[in-house]
Amino acid sequence: EAGVTQFPSHSVIEKGQTVTLRCDPISGHDNLYWYRRVMGKEIKFLLHFVKESKQDESGMPNNRFLAERTGGTYSTLKVQPAELEDSGVYFCASSPSGGQKDTQYFGPGTRLTVL
Amino acid sequence: GNSVTQMEGPVTLSEEAFLTINCTYTATGYPSLFWYVQYPGEGLQLLLKATKADDKGSNKGFEATYRKETTSFHLEKGSVQVSDSAVYFCALRRTGNQFYFGTGTSLTVIP
């Protein structure tokens, strides 16, 4: 079974540019989550999809961040325009519905550097 | 609110040494507690978990016991190996689906 994949693995952009991160969850997982780890700090929740619907987006830092999950499969996280403080590692995770949703399966992360 | 505090790193140990990484939490009610591990170049992997007080999670020689009285979930291993070198994250999950993570503890085991 393929795990959660993320693309790209690294992205270096300049302040003011736009970047789109992609996450492919484990096939069949209805729940998809985005998290972010800023250098040396804790991993923080950004938002949660159930299929194509946003269940909880309380962690999104501001309106420069837009997450979508068209068709309930892969998800994208767009940052526009990027600021220096957006640098960090963005993790995606997925989990099935039902009793096993307690465990989330994480991707390797996308390291974003904003110069 | 919900939060996790874990031991500052980095931690460097010799092979076969005893490992403890401290983790304490703040949460209302009865959270589930987790340890995740991130090996170099890989994503976070679930190492172990405990869902209620006094439960012990264990995996790959690692153990952690859910202590409600001290609000702790310390990670231990009796004899570490070079292959255990990684970053370890303590986390909790309350109602809802979001996880609350600690800052991570980097472990390096030297031969």
Side-chain angles (χ1 to χ4, degrees), chain A residues 13-18 79-84 114-115:
Chain A
I13 61 173
E14 294 189 349
K15 176 181 170 181
Q17 291 186 320
T18 297
V79 185
Q80 180 182 28
E83 299 289 345
L84 298 178
V114 182
L115 303 176

Side-chain angles (χ1 to χ4, degrees), chain A residues 6-78:
Chain A
Q6 293 186 243
F7 182 82
S9 56
H10 293 87
S11 180
V12 181
I13 61 173
E14 294 189 349
K15 176 181 170 181
Q17 291 186 320
T18 297
V19 63
T20 300
L21 314 181
R22 173 171 170 145
C23 169
D24 287 77
I26 293 172
S27 178
H29 282 193
D30 289 339
N31 297 287
L32 187 150
Y33 313 83
W34 284 98
Y35 292 85
R36 176 175 73 172
R37 186 186 190 207
V38 173
M39 177 70 78
K41 301 205 170 177
E42 67 270 26
I43 299 171
K44 284 196 169 181
F45 169 83
L46 296 178
L47 87 160
H48 169 211
F49 284 99
V50 177
K51 298 185 180 178
E52 67 275 11
S53 299
K54 291 176 185 173
Q55 180 79 10
D56 180 356
E57 52 184 328
S58 60
M60 294 288 265
N62 52 62
N63 59 10
R64 295 186 293 104
F65 289 75
L66 175 64
E68 294 180 323
R69 192 182 182 194
T70 306
T73 54
Y74 71 91
S75 174
T76 57
L77 180 64
K78 180 190 287 188

